[in-house]
Amino acid sequence: MADTYIHPELRNLAADLEEEELSEIGSSVLSDYESDLESRTEWDQMHSQWLRMYFQKDLPTNPPWDGSSQESLPLLSESCTQFSSRAIQAMFSSRKVIKAMPLGRVDSGARSRAKRIEEHMAFQIMDKMRGYKRGKRRMLLSVALHGSHFTKAYFDPLNDMNVVENIRATDVAIPYGTGPRDIEDVPRITHRIPMPMHKAKKLYEADYFSEEPVPYEKDEIAREQDQAHDDAQGLQPSSRHDKREALILEQHTWFDLDDDGVDEPYIFTVDAQNGNVLRVSIRWETDEAGDPIDDQNPVNCFTHYVYMENPDGFYGLGHGHLISQLNASVNKLLRQMVDAGTLSTVGNNSGFISEQIAGPAGGDIEFSLGKFKKVPASAEEMGRGIHQFKFPGPSPVHPQAIQLLLARSDRLASATEAITGQTEKVMQPTTVMALIEQGLQVFSSVYDTLSDAWTEELMKLYRLNHKHMDPEEWFTVFDVEGSEQELHAAREDYAPDFQVKPFTDPKQATSQQKLQKAQIAYQTAMQSPLVMNSPQHIYNNVRMFMEEMDIEDIDSRVPNPMQGIPRNDDPYQENMMAMMDTPMIPMAYPDQDHISHMRAHMEQLSGKTISPFGQMLLENHIGSHRRLLNGSTGGQGLAPGPGNEMGVGASPMAVQPGAEMGEGLLTGGSEATVGTETGPGVSPGTAGAF
């Protein structure tokens, strides 16, 4: 690496520092890390208990006898599983997971660039980063249980690729603080990284580390969650387990290295065993010459995923905070009920017996069903010498109390019967749908919060692509028909004038809800007189309905009536096509003269006889030109496609003849007006409105 160009943000500055400075940095990182862990000792213990409860391995605190009940109900497990299984479908409902949007004016070049970004980033996270989707599944379970989860986006110079790494909340240490805080406001973040020795040595040999790490031999602080996981899974280190593993502390902090009295953002990488500084790198953005771009403001590579916002702290709130105490109470009541049943069954067949009856040898007398045992006592003496236990059995209050706690827990976790699909009562379908919709309100709110965090993560990946991807990158994807498509994206596509966000629906509905809405929309449209006479609108309506039902190979099932109409740049020829016995009109294109086309079509509508269907097609076509002139089509109408052959998007909007179409059109930020001269048969109030 020494002989090749290294971007200033990736350079290791440790070799340029004096031993005294390195020693000060190492001691500071170790002491800050241990102090941060110590301040959250009880926090670690809480999360360890939640993990045991999730695996149904939480044991009674004071068992009444050996072998007493240890049963539990999986409230915490069910709530986390219900959430994560729905959330992953909302996040990855299709392969189209990225939406790219320009921050400035939208033109054909911006739309083409947005499409390249969307396809490339989808390929990047779905194919190139093979563990990305699996990591999101783990994140959803973790964030639902613990309330917080982290990812770290960075460039890996050894593998020459951008990486998004999953990080448990227990592996991220931050200093104690009160009040709500964003991750950008935290003064330091320490990432605990256990690292196999072969990988640590490889990083040293590649000059990424300035010192070779050594195996970690100390007792760690607050690693209770690892022990809780091993206990729940029944795991333990084998006799041949290799404990030779380095512990790397990567601290993102502020430090004054240039002695100017002002702290600057740095990343210090330290060996936790001996405090040796392995790496020092800047934490601000620079150009290739090393000059700061944003006045040395820190670049944050961590993304904090939160299940529910904490109004008074940094870490988020999860189901562990919300229902773990209810789960513990339910488990306690359940165990008491089972133990009471055990006592009433087994305990009532036990008791005390006098030595006079048992005989001089003493000992216990056991029951033998169907047999009589001789004892040295009369019946009267036996009645006085035997005391039999009489336990009453489970209290009827226990099931009622358990049911009450279960109901409150289901409400907090939004895991009601209607949502889980297991209603005990017979209800009308509309009632069930209403219950599902209300029950999903909390889910929708959480989806929205996670979507915001995912947007931040994708923007970090966008920045890394702008900095480190190849000047041009080619990749192959498969379309819906299974055929290969060779695509490409360039580094310059990721200039900072775009933003990206996940293509998700925070108000993710169930398939039953989507089907019901699609059916209502289909029936309403098909009963409309405007749609009945329009083959294109009938096709659009049928296609949308089949898409909502997830029917495959729609093109082979439903023919497109507008397919195959060639491009026509003469608006008067388009007018003639609209006047045919079977009217048809091609789509509008971005590079056409929209003003001339709209004027010619308005002349046709105002002065000549045309069928109602031809009039509707022409009005829709004018609306398409109007939207293209405004630059507000969002990429629609650029090429023929299902549901968009007329260039009017998925829902064409008709414009009434004689209306002031184009009023207030904005082009490049100013109003564009087309003179007041009118053509034959066109009223001044119509032509001048363009």
Side-chain angles (χ1 to χ4, degrees):
M1 293 178 62
D3 297 329
T4 60
Y5 170 78
I6 302 176
H7 195 279
E9 297 176 20
L10 301 176
R11 293 174 185 170
N12 187 358
L13 307 179
D16 302 331
L17 301 179
E18 301 291 338
E19 285 295 329
E20 184 178 350
E21 291 179 302
L22 294 175
S23 178
E24 180 184 358
I25 291 172
S27 299
S28 174
V29 169
L30 289 180
S31 62
D32 287 342
Y33 171 67
E34 293 175 359
S35 174
D36 295 342
L37 285 185
E38 187 177 358
S39 68
R40 70 172 200 189
T41 301
E42 294 185 10
W43 182 90
D44 277 292
Q45 294 172 352
M46 265 194 324
H47 287 262
S48 300
Q49 180 61 27
W50 298 342
L51 194 60
R52 292 187 176 92
M53 188 172 292
Y54 176 84
F55 287 107
Q56 301 177 58
K57 293 294 185 179
D58 59 314
L59 301 177
T61 305
N62 297 306
W65 65 81
D66 291 340
S68 61
S69 173
Q70 297 181 2
E71 279 78 10
S72 63
L73 289 179
L75 306 186
L76 202 56
S77 307
E78 183 179 6
S79 62
C80 295
T81 303
Q82 287 286 336
F83 167 77
S84 62
S85 60
R86 286 178 171 81
I88 194 66
Q89 296 300 323
M91 296 179 73
F92 297 95
S93 58
S94 67
R95 185 175 176 83
K96 186 175 182 180
V97 294
I98 306 293
K99 178 65 176 177
M101 298 168 292
L103 297 176
R105 182 176 177 178
V106 180
D107 53 24
S108 58
R111 296 189 192 101
S112 299
R113 181 178 157 202
K115 185 178 181 181
R116 289 196 299 272
I117 292 173
E118 292 169 359
E119 292 170 338
H120 178 255
M121 290 194 71
F123 162 78
Q124 200 172 18
I125 67 175
M126 300 289 283
D127 299 310
K128 194 172 183 179
M129 299 180 183
R130 297 187 180 277
Y132 188 86
K133 188 175 181 179
R134 183 172 67 251
K136 286 293 176 281
R137 289 194 183 97
R138 293 173 176 171
M139 178 275 292
L140 291 172
L141 275 173
S142 177
V143 77
L145 177 61
H146 300 288
S148 287
H149 192 85
F150 297 87
T151 62
K152 185 170 72 171
Y154 61 94
F155 175 71
D156 182 359
L158 297 185
N159 296 311
D160 192 26
M161 64 181 297
N162 297 324
V163 176
V164 177
E165 178 183 355
N166 268 295
I167 307 174
R168 300 181 301 176
T170 50
D171 288 334
V172 176
I174 65 165
Y176 170 80
T178 59
R181 294 183 296 169
D182 293 329
I183 194 168
E184 292 80 10
D185 301 327
V186 177
R188 66 175 175 269
I189 303 173
T190 306
H191 179 197
R192 170 188 174 275
I193 309 174
M195 185 176 294
M197 291 306 302
H198 70 273
K199 182 177 180 180
K201 185 175 182 179
K202 182 178 179 181
L203 291 172
Y204 168 69
E205 292 175 347
D207 293 334
Y208 188 79
F209 288 161
S210 58
E211 301 279 347
E212 184 173 359
V214 297
Y216 188 74
E217 304 292 346
K218 299 179 181 178
D219 293 331
E220 287 200 55
I221 303 175
R223 300 314 307 163
E224 293 193 11
Q225 185 170 344
D226 291 338
Q227 185 62 47
H229 180 272
D230 289 347
D231 293 343
Q233 295 290 300
L235 302 174
Q236 62 180 359
S238 64
S239 58
R240 299 186 62 184
H241 175 65
D242 185 8
K243 297 182 179 180
R244 294 179 60 81
E245 189 176 63
L247 179 62
I248 309 300
L249 302 179
E250 183 182 286
Q251 189 171 101
H252 298 236
T253 187
W254 294 78
F255 203 85
D256 183 15
L257 275 182
D258 54 7
D259 295 328
D260 62 351
V262 178
D263 290 341
E264 292 86 17
Y266 287 95
I267 302 175
F268 297 144
T269 307
V270 174
D271 190 335
Q273 175 65 27
N274 51 27
N276 286 345
V277 177
L278 309 178
R279 182 175 177 82
V280 175
S281 56
I282 62 175
R283 195 161 60 99
W284 62 83
E285 193 170 6
T286 71
D287 56 19
E288 295 188 355
D291 297 325
I293 292 178
D294 191 21
D295 196 26
Q296 290 189 326
N297 286 322
V299 174
N300 176 36
C301 65
F302 292 95
T303 301
H304 187 190
Y305 284 87
V306 173
Y307 181 83
M308 189 174 293
E309 292 291 349
N310 187 342
D312 293 311
F314 173 75
Y315 292 108
L317 306 178
H319 287 167
H321 298 85
L322 300 177
I323 65 175
S324 63
Q325 290 299 323
L326 288 174
N327 203 159
S329 299
V330 168
N331 291 346
K332 186 174 183 179
L333 289 171
L334 177 64
R335 291 162 183 167
Q336 289 176 352
M337 190 169 63
V338 173
D339 287 340
T342 302
L343 288 175
S344 65
T345 303
V346 181
N348 289 344
N349 291 324
S350 59
F352 299 111
I353 187 169
S354 171
E355 291 184 355
Q356 296 177 352
I357 300 175
D364 300 330
I365 296 179
E366 296 182 359
F367 244 153
S368 296
L369 295 179
K371 295 182 179 181
F372 290 91
K373 184 182 290 291
K374 294 181 180 181
V375 294
S378 65
E380 291 80 6
E381 291 174 333
M382 288 182 61
R384 294 192 301 267
I386 296 178
H387 174 75
Q388 183 180 7
F389 294 144
K390 295 181 179 180
F391 296 102
S395 169
V397 177
H398 278 82
Q400 298 175 9
I402 290 175
Q403 193 62 38
L404 175 63
L405 294 176
L406 287 176
R408 307 312 298 183
S409 172
D410 287 345
R411 290 188 182 184
L412 282 172
S414 295
T416 59
E417 292 178 350
I419 293 179
T420 57
Q422 298 178 354
T423 55
E424 295 182 356
K425 299 179 182 179
V426 178
M427 293 180 285
Q428 293 293 330
T430 54
T431 304
V432 176
M433 298 305 299
L435 290 174
I436 291 175
E437 185 174 356
Q438 290 300 315
L440 288 174
Q441 293 301 316
V442 176
F443 281 119
S444 298
S445 176
V446 176
Y447 292 152
D448 199 22
T449 302
L450 294 176
S451 180
D452 291 342
W454 198 11
T455 299
E456 296 176 8
E457 177 188 296
L458 292 175
M459 285 303 299
K460 293 179 175 66
L461 183 59
Y462 183 97
R463 173 189 173 273
L464 292 173
N465 286 340
H466 171 62
K467 286 280 184 179
H468 304 296
M469 73 173 284
D470 294 335
E472 190 172 33
E473 186 170 311
W474 289 85
F475 56 97
T476 302
V477 298
F478 292 91
D479 57 22
V480 292
E481 298 178 353
S483 58
E484 294 185 1
Q485 283 187 313
E486 190 175 18
L487 306 171
H488 78 284
R491 183 191 298 176
E492 61 184 14
D493 288 335
Y494 289 92
D497 57 345
F498 258 63
Q499 62 180 0
V500 292
K501 62 186 302 183
F503 203 90
T504 60
D505 180 13
K507 297 181 180 180
Q508 171 76 2
T510 63
S511 57
Q512 292 89 347
Q513 283 179 300
K514 293 172 63 178
L515 182 58
Q516 185 184 43
K517 291 180 180 180
Q519 189 171 7
I520 293 174
Y522 174 79
Q523 292 175 350
T524 303
M526 295 300 286
Q527 294 172 2
S528 171
L530 295 175
V531 174
M532 286 190 217
N533 298 323
S534 172
Q536 182 62 36
H537 287 77
I538 293 175
Y539 167 78
N540 292 345
N541 197 35
V542 172
R543 183 180 182 87
M544 291 176 189
F545 182 64
M546 298 179 75
E547 286 176 348
E548 289 295 334
M549 297 179 66
D550 294 328
I551 294 178
E552 299 179 356
D553 199 16
I554 298 176
D555 292 331
S556 64
R557 301 172 187 269
V558 184
N560 186 350
M562 304 302 290
Q563 190 171 7
I565 300 179
R567 171 171 174 162
N568 195 321
D569 292 322
D570 186 346
Y572 294 99
Q573 290 185 13
E574 292 177 338
N575 289 342
M576 297 299 295
M577 296 173 67
M579 295 179 63
M580 294 190 304
D581 293 338
T582 304
M584 59 181 62
I585 190 168
M587 61 178 286
Y589 288 85
D591 57 348
Q592 289 178 328
D593 186 349
H594 306 298
I595 301 295
S596 299
H597 275 253
M598 288 190 291
R599 180 181 289 121
H601 300 325
M602 286 302 298
E603 293 174 4
Q604 179 70 38
L605 292 174
S606 301
K608 297 181 181 179
T609 303
I610 187 172
S611 68
F613 180 45
Q615 177 179 329
M616 183 182 63
L617 290 181
L618 210 54
E619 290 168 353
N620 287 332
H621 190 66
I622 293 172
S624 179
H625 278 293
R626 179 185 179 187
R627 283 185 287 276
L628 287 171
L629 180 64
N630 273 319
S632 59
T633 61
Q636 301 295 328
L638 298 179
N644 192 38
E645 286 68 22
M646 294 184 295
V648 293
S651 179
M653 183 180 298
V655 182
Q656 299 298 326
E660 293 188 353
M661 296 175 50
E663 183 174 358
L665 290 178
L666 297 180
T667 305
S670 61
E671 187 170 353
T673 305
V674 180
T676 57
E677 297 183 3
T678 61
V682 182
S683 63
T686 301
F690 294 129

